[in-house]
Amino acid sequence: MHIDDVEITCVRHELLNEICEIEQESFSAPYPSYIIASIASETPETFLVATFKQSAIGYVLGSMRKDAGHILSIAVRSEFRRRHVGSKLMAEILEVFFRKGVRRVELEVRASNYSAQEFYRKIGFQANGLIKDYYRDGEDAVKMSRDLT
């Protein structure tokens, strides 16, 4: 697979089952499928999917309020990781946010997930706090943000 063969689009209903599979595969406490479906119907412009040969291989889920954006979740199928799919998804969601007037984007990441923290740093995010007991299992989250100016 070449990264140029990966297409990024807004979420489509027919991809929801594949997105839920990616969510289940990627997280120890995944979002339930009904939440993913609800978000897809309410804010499809900030729910982007990476497809390869018409199959979902990753997604990024964002939300907006006024001039602030929030990355709720990003995941890529294990066999497509470290092939720039996540970077392409993040570049596109940041562009969507920017076009909609968002000037600052935030996210939370598990304190133990050093590779994800490094990924976010490489694309311009900075750590700016710790949220104690953020996750259901009691793990802390590192709060990260990036300006889009």
Side-chain angles (χ1 to χ4, degrees):
M1 175 210 79
H2 189 274
I3 193 62
D4 291 339
D5 298 327
V6 173
E7 185 177 338
I8 307 293
T9 63
C10 289
V11 67
R12 298 187 314 269
H13 179 74
E14 65 268 17
L15 295 173
L16 288 178
N17 285 340
E18 292 176 65
I19 291 165
C20 289
E21 288 173 10
I22 296 167
E23 176 79 8
Q24 293 289 323
E25 168 191 309
S26 301
F27 300 106
S28 58
Y31 283 121
S33 58
Y34 72 89
I35 289 179
I36 291 173
S38 174
I39 294 170
S41 66
E42 291 172 17
T43 57
E45 68 276 4
T46 57
F47 192 154
L48 305 180
V49 182
T51 58
F52 177 66
K53 296 184 179 179
Q54 264 118 48
S55 292
I57 62 168
Y59 71 89
V60 62
L61 176 54
S63 68
M64 293 183 303
R65 59 185 189 286
K66 296 185 182 176
D67 64 346
H70 196 138
I71 302 298
L72 301 170
S73 186
I74 180 171
V76 175
R77 282 197 190 276
S78 58
E79 62 267 30
F80 291 95
R81 291 181 189 153
R82 302 206 181 280
R83 297 167 104 185
H84 306 290
V85 176
S87 297
K88 191 169 183 173
L89 281 163
M90 286 298 290
E92 189 63 33
I93 193 75
L94 294 175
E95 178 63 29
V96 168
F97 282 151
F98 183 78
R99 285 193 314 260
K100 293 188 168 286
V102 167
R103 295 299 170 248
R104 184 171 183 82
V105 179
E106 299 177 338
L107 58 84
E108 297 80 30
V109 60
R110 284 184 178 271
S112 64
N113 193 343
Y114 302 114
S115 62
Q117 291 173 47
E118 182 60 23
F119 167 72
Y120 295 128
R121 274 198 243 0
K122 284 181 181 177
I123 57 172
F125 282 81
Q126 296 179 346
N128 55 12
L130 191 70
I131 305 171
K132 291 288 196 184
D133 302 320
Y134 182 80
Y135 294 97
R136 276 189 261 166
D137 62 5
E139 186 171 353
D140 300 340
V142 175
K143 189 163 190 68
M144 301 184 83
S145 64
R146 174 184 166 174
D147 289 333
L148 295 183
T149 54

